[in-house]
Amino acid sequence: ITSMIARYTRSSMSEILKEPYIRTSRAKGIHEFWVIMKHTLRNSLIDVVTIVGLQFGFLLAGSVLVETVFTIPGLGRLLIDSILFRDYTVIQVILLIFTLQFILVNLVVDVLYGVLNPKIRYD
């Protein structure tokens, strides 16, 4: 997952480095460190935050698989055991917990959009 995020960050930054406003900020004499940190990285992080938020859903599904295969006690293993024993109440609660976690991560991603780019702020 980390390698994918790093690759995506690199490609996003290389795209943004070709933009005219980066050339303009360099022509104004802004130090290269601040050009990369303030303008390039900040604008490329919008795409990266989106990918990280989407990957969280895959991590939830992966936890169920890993806990089942390696018999690690956790919510994923409890979910599989509840499905096998047809304990519908526990299944509903665990799915509700997973859903709430995913919704909260998406909320954090949406808030980070507004922090990273003030033009995206919701009124």
Side-chain angles (χ1 to χ4, degrees):
I1 294 174
T2 306
S3 62
M4 186 188 72
I5 293 170
R7 187 178 68 224
Y8 199 77
T9 304
R10 182 188 177 283
S11 68
S12 177
M13 284 188 68
S14 66
E15 259 182 52
I16 291 177
L17 281 172
K18 297 174 186 173
E19 295 291 325
Y21 67 90
I22 299 296
R23 190 173 353 116
T24 304
S25 61
R26 286 179 177 151
K28 286 182 178 180
I30 298 174
H31 194 270
E32 186 68 20
F33 175 78
W34 293 114
V35 169
I36 290 177
M37 293 305 282
K38 188 172 183 182
H39 298 293
T40 309
L41 186 63
R42 189 169 185 180
N43 288 328
S44 69
L45 279 181
I46 293 173
D47 298 333
V48 174
V49 165
T50 303
I51 294 299
V52 170
L54 290 174
Q55 287 298 319
F56 186 77
F58 294 122
L59 286 174
L60 284 175
S63 72
V64 174
L65 180 68
V66 168
E67 289 174 7
T68 302
V69 169
F70 295 109
T71 62
I72 299 171
L75 284 177
R77 178 73 182 162
L78 181 61
L79 177 65
I80 296 299
D81 289 341
S82 300
I83 290 172
L84 292 175
F85 293 121
R86 298 177 191 220
D87 192 357
Y88 297 117
T89 309
V90 176
I91 294 169
Q92 288 176 343
V93 169
I94 293 174
L95 289 178
L96 180 68
I97 290 171
F98 282 170
T99 305
L100 287 175
Q101 287 176 347
F102 193 72
I103 289 172
L104 286 176
V105 167
N106 282 328
L107 177 68
V108 169
V109 167
D110 286 345
V111 169
L112 281 176
Y113 285 161
V115 170
L116 292 173
N117 190 353
K119 294 178 184 176
I120 303 177
R121 289 203 178 147
Y122 305 108
D123 292 329

